[in-house]
Amino acid sequence: MATPVLWACFVVLAAGVVAYAQRHSQQDTHVLYERLGSDVTLPCGTAAWDTAVTWRVNGTDLEAAHLNGSQLVLEGLDLSHSGHYACYQGSSWHLRYQALLHVGMPPREPVLTCRSNSYPKGFYCSWHLPAPTFIPNTFNVTVLHGSRLLGCEKDPAPKNRCHIRYTHLFSTVKYKVTLTVTNALGHNSTAITFDEFTIVKPDPPENVVARPVPSSPRRLEVTWQTPSSWPDPESFPLKFFLRYRPLILDQWQHVELSDGTTHTITDAYAGKEYIIQVAAKDNEIGTWSDWSVAAHATPWTEEPRYLTTEAQAPETTTTTTTSFVPPPTTKICDPGEVGDGVGSPTGLLLTVTVTVTVTVTTIAATGLFI
Amino acid sequence: MDLRAGDSWGMLACLCTVLWHLPAVPALNRTGDPGPGPSIQKTYDLTRYLEHQLRSLAGTYLNYLGPPFNEPDFNPPRLSAEALPSATVDFNVWRSLNDHLRLAQNYQAYSHLLCYLRGLDRHAATAELRRSLAHFCTSLQGLLGSIAGVMAALGYPLPPQGAEPSWAPRPPHSDFLQKMDDFWLLKELQTWLWRSAKDFNRLKKKMQPSAAAVTLRLEAAASDL
């Protein structure tokens, strides 16, 4: 007896579900990708062409001028057209259609480079697009070694880099790396082929430090470390290239060093500040690294000797000046200004010269007066 | 070159001094003998020289073979060149090679490669090219001799020379395939020379105690007196 009632319930429920689904399918947000500069026509869902509708972009009403019946026409798309589009029918504001529009470009041919800074462990390939696409892109890298397909492990960050491990060394077969970039508007790819040896380029040497050499006014001692990314400097030694110049000159001097991580410059101009950089290269293969972070140093200079020192002399610790310019001071003409009673004329004269020269040992000065 | 001779004499002097003051030096079992160090250095230098020579020789020869062999991107699959001694090796295997094996592999490789190269010489076209090939073969012969010298100094027997390479003068086959064989021969030579440089570098490091280590021992000896 309850069965017809039950059936009726089912029918009603089914109809409700269908109506609900229909309504929601019209309201599902469509995602559209369109090319920059192109034209696009957005329909108002299933509404008839002559239906009265209102379009909204990101919540703002659009003028009727863009309409072709109930359809929205957008011409000459530019990046500002990207956004949320919604179409409402009639006075009841029945939402008939909504879409997220993304304006972008298909990808241009990407730029791919591969380099081994960790020979013989492996190499990495990095890439970038020459022009932005404004929409999400996916990259796919394949590495072919002869007929073998190798996996390229993607870096978590930066995203446009992946690593390959060398399984065999001293291979005569070239590596071919192919990069494909795809987005909603198209795809593009590029490939490079190379020998194992040609892409070897270490990172620059680390911790470059230059120090003056005591009692040697024309020497600077430079030390550095092999880059930490180079896994085996014992079996795969690096050679180094050092360049240096005084800051005031443009011409670099170069020294190539086949081993060791120190070098003493012996022809530095006395008293001049130097800038020093080092680069590294595998002894036999590949190319030179970029220049390291620069080190600065000035060679040792002898402290001028004084007959007496003035307690009041300022503690200037500038290491060198090659031209001496007496600072303006009123003390020359005013003996009363000189403190703690050692204001002899000779003392005053010395005060003038002392303020201008090298490290003043005030400790020694106070020692004299105790 | 003079500098290197000076270095080995300096090394000899250091070694003699150390031996005078420290009789129980474990690493030095060659009394007063500079050891194979200088000849390993010479072998290393020879591989570098040969690599340089090969670069110009290969350029000329590949141009003679013509396209696609002289194109930089030319990347053919290896078909029939399995008989060529391959320098390719697993990294861990290479690393753990003992000195004898390391030297023997180099020696055997170059013996075979020299033989094939001489075969190349026979059908090379221009006189200029034949001259370059002959010069290279002579240098390669020198390298073989140098490696043999090192092996002798270390007391290792030379690998058996009897076996004729099975890849000897082929029955006349396609001109293109012949050129492919030539291409792979040059490629393998180049790779072997790169590998040898690394091999001899490794041997160099093992044979010669570092100057720093020797100086430390001298200082220790001096302070003991």
Side-chain angles (χ1 to χ4, degrees):
Chain A
M1 196 151 138
T3 342
V5 177
L6 217 58
W7 274 113
C9 276
F10 268 125
V11 170
V12 168
L13 204 64
V17 168
V18 169
Y20 185 80
Q22 230 177 13
R23 199 162 190 176
H24 268 263
S25 67
Q26 287 175 352
Q27 288 165 7
D28 274 347
T29 309
H30 300 258
V31 179
L32 301 172
Y33 291 96
E34 295 296 332
R35 212 185 156 130
L36 201 65
S38 67
D39 305 333
V40 70
T41 304
L42 300 175
C44 189
T46 53
W49 184 85
D50 55 355
T51 321
V53 297
T54 316
W55 278 92
R56 273 191 170 170
V57 187
N58 298 327
T60 321
D61 286 2
L62 268 179
E63 323 88 74
H66 296 276
L67 293 178
N68 174 11
S70 64
Q71 297 172 323
L72 181 65
V73 178
L74 297 168
E75 287 172 344
L77 287 174
D78 62 43
L79 295 175
S80 64
H81 284 112
S82 298
H84 180 263
Y85 290 80
C87 178
Y88 299 92
Q89 185 186 351
S91 51
S92 58
W93 290 97
H94 182 178
L95 178 66
R96 295 303 297 265
Y97 177 86
Q98 56 178 341
L100 264 175
L101 177 67
H102 301 271
V103 181
M105 292 287 287
R108 297 244 297 265
E109 187 178 330
V111 177
L112 176 68
T113 47
C114 294
R115 175 181 160 217
S116 176
N117 65 342
S118 58
Y119 190 75
K121 244 200 211 155
F123 63 97
Y124 70 85
C125 292
S126 60
W127 56 87
H128 68 269
L129 287 168
T133 59
F134 311 104
I135 55 177
N137 305 298
T138 50
F139 297 93
N140 187 28
V141 178
T142 53
V143 182
L144 212 61
H145 183 210
S147 53
R148 280 179 68 209
L149 199 66
L150 303 173
C152 193
E153 207 179 291
K154 278 221 176 116
D155 256 11
K159 285 183 295 168
N160 59 344
R161 190 184 274 208
C162 70
H163 289 260
I164 301 112
R165 287 193 157 272
Y166 281 128
T167 42
H168 285 76
L169 284 188
F170 315 116
S171 177
T172 45
V173 181
K174 287 189 158 127
Y175 288 84
K176 183 174 179 181
V177 182
T178 313
L179 169 72
T180 316
V181 54
T182 314
N183 70 15
L185 294 172
H187 61 89
N188 213 323
S189 74
T190 187
I192 54 172
T193 316
F194 52 84
D195 275 310
E196 176 187 317
F197 298 109
T198 52
I199 59 164
V200 177
K201 178 179 170 177
D203 284 331
E206 292 170 5
N207 217 8
V208 181
V209 174
R211 282 187 218 90
V213 179
S215 308
S216 306
R218 299 204 66 189
R219 286 178 181 233
L220 284 170
E221 192 198 7
V222 191
T223 57
W224 60 91
Q225 285 160 359
T226 58
S228 48
S229 52
W230 196 253
D232 196 353
E234 280 293 306
S235 312
F236 295 84
L238 293 170
K239 62 180 176 182
F240 301 98
F241 208 64
L242 193 135
R243 70 173 186 182
Y244 59 96
R245 64 173 171 89
L247 281 181
I248 54 177
L249 294 178
D250 286 330
Q251 194 78 3
W252 290 97
Q253 273 170 280
H254 298 98
V255 182
E256 184 166 329
L257 306 152
S258 54
D259 57 20
T261 54
T262 79
H263 176 72
T264 307
I265 297 166
T266 55
D267 61 350
Y269 291 115
K272 297 285 180 283
E273 185 178 349
Y274 270 77
I275 177 169
I276 298 130
Q277 288 179 299
V278 194
K281 180 184 175 296
D282 175 273
N283 248 330
E284 293 92 25
I285 58 178
T287 54
W288 286 99
S289 71
D290 292 337
W291 290 107
S292 68
V293 169
H296 291 251
T298 312
W300 175 94
T301 49
E302 193 177 329
E303 288 177 26
R305 300 179 194 283
Y306 318 105
L307 296 171
T308 63
T309 50
E310 187 61 39
Q312 276 205 305
E315 299 130 67
T316 41
T317 47
T318 48
T319 40
T320 61
T321 40
T322 44
S323 57
F324 298 92
V325 178
T329 169
T330 54
K331 293 189 181 177
I332 306 167
C333 302
D334 192 357
E337 291 282 298
V338 180
D340 57 30
V342 196
S344 65
T346 39
L348 280 169
L349 213 62
L350 281 167
T351 311
V352 175
T353 40
V354 157
T355 50
V356 169
T357 52
V358 191
T359 320
V360 179
T361 48
T362 47
I363 300 161
T366 46
L368 280 172
F369 299 121
I370 288 167
Chain B
M1 276 306 166
D2 287 343
L3 201 62
R4 270 179 259 279
D7 275 354
S8 49
W9 282 116
M11 193 65 65
L12 176 59
C14 277
L15 286 172
C16 287
T17 324
V18 169
L19 285 163
W20 188 263
H21 292 292
L22 289 173
V25 174
L28 303 167
N29 49 11
R30 293 176 196 285
T31 47
D33 175 357
S39 52
I40 293 180
Q41 179 65 48
K42 198 177 74 150
T43 317
Y44 171 84
D45 293 338
L46 263 170
T47 65
R48 305 289 281 129
Y49 171 63
L50 273 160
E51 193 225 311
H52 174 79
Q53 230 188 321
L54 181 62
R55 238 178 283 166
S56 53
L57 173 65
T60 319
Y61 198 83
L62 291 174
N63 277 329
Y64 156 72
L65 291 179
F69 302 100
N70 57 352
E71 282 161 19
D73 281 349
F74 185 47
N75 187 20
R78 279 195 89 144
L79 300 167
S80 59
E82 284 86 14
L84 277 178
S86 177
T88 311
V89 64
D90 174 79
F91 174 55
N92 289 312
V93 170
W94 178 80
R95 209 147 174 244
S96 54
L97 279 174
N98 64 51
D99 298 345
H100 180 196
L101 211 54
R102 198 179 289 276
L103 285 161
Q105 283 186 1
N106 271 272
Y107 187 86
Q108 275 174 315
Y110 289 119
S111 319
H112 287 131
L113 289 168
L114 180 61
C115 199
Y116 299 146
L117 252 186
R118 289 198 171 121
L120 206 68
D121 188 53
R122 262 178 260 138
H123 56 256
T126 64
E128 178 63 49
L129 204 51
R130 275 201 294 269
R131 224 189 338 266
S132 303
L133 278 166
H135 182 208
F136 190 82
C137 284
T138 315
S139 307
L140 195 53
Q141 183 73 66
L143 176 62
L144 267 173
S146 200
I147 300 173
V150 175
M151 291 183 83
L154 290 170
Y156 299 134
L158 279 182
Q161 296 215 27
E164 257 303 304
S166 56
W167 190 78
R170 286 170 157 277
H173 62 259
S174 138
D175 189 39
F176 182 79
L177 284 178
Q178 186 127 6
K179 289 183 177 180
M180 277 295 285
D181 288 343
D182 294 351
F183 173 82
W184 282 118
L185 174 61
L186 290 171
K187 203 80 201 282
E188 203 61 70
L189 251 173
Q190 184 187 52
T191 314
W192 261 108
L193 287 167
W194 274 330
R195 175 175 156 175
S196 293
K198 298 296 185 202
D199 278 324
F200 288 108
N201 235 332
R202 222 180 153 77
L203 286 164
K204 229 193 325 180
K205 287 238 153 81
K206 289 178 83 178
M207 297 297 149
Q208 293 169 337
S210 63
V214 177
T215 324
L216 280 168
R217 290 192 189 127
L218 285 172
E219 283 168 358
S223 62
D224 283 345
L225 295 172

